[in-house]
């Protein structure tokens, strides 16, 4: 079953297909790879356009099982990796035109399993992709792929179930959250979301004391995961702190939108105007 948010992403991509403007290499990243599966299988008949009639359910079943010739599944082998031999097999398959369709999809269901050698081999194909061939890569985290491969892909965030519940509009209002959740991990996002929603629910936004409490809560680095920050270099830890604070600001803006729209407006304006985040955000909480 495809969720409402995944359906919305699918509709946008279908619109690109109709305009012949769909990128030939897309990196789908999501905390739930199954959601990417659902999205890709919903897109497949619109993009591939098989010449023989197949209802969507039958078509999706054939694609999922690797039994449709113009939907190539690339999956992990017995070693838990995607080796360079499997990339060579893809190269052999795509040197010819699609077998019985208008277009072809090559789908890496867990692209992070590719070895470095495999990714470098794939890079040569996506730099100059064959006509009528589209590469879809699925990963949990966007940065789990080599920067060279990422730079030649169009990244698209697909929400997981735990990022959708009760916050269906959050990613629409603050699109940058998709990349942050991908980098920081959905567990951190969910924990912060739940904590700040509870925290904001009991505050009086007409009180300067409480507004100062919100600012302190957002900028308090003691609340950050020691495992997250302790396992990375100091410069990376500082960057992650800023990203978490930026994420917290967006969550708070969403949580206070009804109670205190002016505070939400100030935060939103700040986030939309700043390319790089400065931790000194006290200006938004000045009455």
């Amino acid at each position: 079953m495809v969720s409402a948010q995944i359906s919305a992403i699918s509709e946008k991509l279908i619109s690109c297909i109709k305009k012949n403007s769909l990128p030939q290499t897309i990196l789908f990243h999501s905390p739930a790879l199954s959601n990417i599966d659902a999205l890709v299988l919903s897109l497949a008949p619109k993009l591939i356009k098989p010449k023989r009639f197949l209802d969507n359910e039958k078509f999706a079943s054939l694609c999922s099982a690797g039994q449709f010739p113009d939907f190539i599944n690339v999956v992990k082998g017995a070693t838990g990796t995607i080796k360079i031999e499997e990339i060579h097999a893809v190269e052999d398959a795509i040197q010819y035109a699609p077998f019985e369709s208008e277009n072809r999809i090559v789908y890496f269901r867990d692209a992070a399993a590719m070895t470095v050698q495999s990714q470098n081999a794939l890079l040569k194909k996506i730099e100059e992709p064959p006509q009528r061939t589209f590469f879809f890569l699925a990963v949990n985290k966007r940065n789990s792929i080599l920067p060279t491969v990422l730079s030649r892909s169009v990244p698209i965030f697909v929400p997981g179930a735990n990022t959708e519940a009760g916050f269906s509009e959050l990613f629409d209002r603050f699109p940058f959250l998709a990349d942050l959740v991908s980098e920081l991990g959905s567990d951190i996002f969910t924990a912060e979301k739940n904590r700040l929603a509870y925290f904001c629910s009991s505050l009086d936004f007409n009180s300067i004391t409480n507004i100062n409490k919100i600012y302190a809560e957002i900028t308090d680095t003691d609340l950050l995961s020691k495992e997250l920050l302790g396992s990375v270099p100091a410069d990376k830890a500082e960057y992650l702190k800023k990203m978490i604070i930026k994420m917290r600001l967006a969550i708070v803006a969403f949580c206070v939108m009804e109670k205190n729209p002016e505070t939400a407006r100030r935060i939103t304006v700040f986030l939309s105007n700043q390319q790089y985040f400065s931790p000194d955000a006290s200006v938004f909480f000045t009455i």
Side-chain angles (χ1 to χ4, degrees):
M1 180 177 180
V2 181
S3 74
Q5 279 191 299
I6 294 176
S7 293
I9 297 170
S10 178
E11 288 174 8
K12 291 178 182 178
L13 294 175
I14 289 171
S15 176
C16 291
I17 292 171
K18 291 177 179 177
K19 297 174 184 176
N20 292 318
S21 61
L22 188 75
Q24 279 190 259
T25 304
I26 298 178
L27 179 75
F28 295 103
H29 51 109
S30 173
L33 291 180
S34 60
N35 283 0
I36 300 177
D37 263 354
L39 174 60
V40 169
L41 292 175
S42 73
L43 283 176
K46 306 289 192 307
L47 177 57
I48 289 179
K49 301 176 184 175
K51 294 176 182 177
R52 58 178 162 133
F53 174 77
L54 292 166
D55 65 66
N56 287 348
E57 186 175 346
K58 176 65 174 177
F59 182 72
S61 176
L62 290 173
C63 290
S64 184
Q67 296 176 353
F68 190 80
D70 297 319
F71 188 98
I72 301 173
N73 283 296
V74 185
V75 297
K76 293 183 286 189
T79 61
T81 61
I82 297 173
K83 293 185 176 181
I84 193 168
E85 290 81 6
E86 290 161 280
I87 306 301
H88 291 328
V90 169
E91 291 174 340
D92 291 341
I94 65 177
Q95 64 179 315
Y96 305 105
F99 182 70
E100 58 172 298
S101 313
E102 186 172 319
N103 298 304
R104 173 194 290 119
I105 291 174
V106 180
Y107 180 35
F108 291 78
R109 301 185 95 138
D110 187 358
M114 282 190 287
T115 64
V116 171
Q117 292 80 5
S118 298
Q119 292 187 56
N120 284 326
L122 176 64
L123 180 63
K124 296 176 182 178
K125 300 310 298 182
I126 64 176
E127 283 179 329
E128 295 184 14
Q131 289 186 349
R132 300 164 59 193
T133 296
F134 294 82
F135 295 91
F136 291 165
L137 286 66
V139 294
N140 285 125
K141 292 187 177 183
R142 196 174 75 166
N143 59 4
S144 61
I145 291 293
L146 288 177
T148 48
V149 176
L150 178 59
S151 68
R152 288 162 178 78
S153 309
V154 174
I156 294 178
F157 178 71
V158 180
N162 58 352
T163 63
E164 293 180 21
F167 276 68
S168 59
E169 298 178 14
L170 183 55
F171 287 89
D172 292 334
R173 291 183 179 274
F174 302 105
F176 68 81
L177 278 178
D179 288 342
L180 291 188
V181 173
S182 179
E183 182 163 7
L184 296 171
S186 59
D187 290 344
I188 291 176
F189 171 78
T190 301
E192 291 291 295
K193 178 190 71 175
N194 294 339
R195 182 179 64 79
L196 289 169
Y198 176 78
F199 177 78
C200 290
S201 67
S202 60
L203 290 178
D204 174 9
F205 288 91
N206 292 319
S207 164
I208 186 66
T209 301
N210 281 333
I211 289 173
N212 286 337
K213 284 182 182 178
I214 296 173
Y215 178 61
E217 192 81 6
I218 286 174
T219 57
D220 186 356
T221 55
D222 289 339
L223 291 169
L224 304 181
S225 167
K226 292 182 179 179
E227 291 184 4
L228 172 70
L229 300 179
S231 61
V232 297
D235 57 342
K236 179 70 170 178
E238 190 60 32
Y239 165 77
L240 289 176
K241 287 179 185 179
K242 291 180 179 180
M243 291 301 99
I244 291 176
I245 293 171
K246 185 175 182 179
M247 178 178 70
R248 287 172 175 173
L249 276 169
I251 293 171
V252 167
F254 186 81
C255 290
V256 306
M257 210 162 284
E258 292 185 10
K259 277 189 171 184
N260 195 285
E262 178 59 21
T263 297
R265 185 193 67 78
R266 291 179 184 179
I267 295 174
T268 301
V269 169
F270 171 75
L271 290 173
S272 64
N273 289 341
Q274 295 294 314
Q275 184 177 5
Y276 300 103
F277 175 69
S278 168
D280 184 11
S282 56
V283 63
F284 308 111
F285 305 98
T286 303
I287 295 180

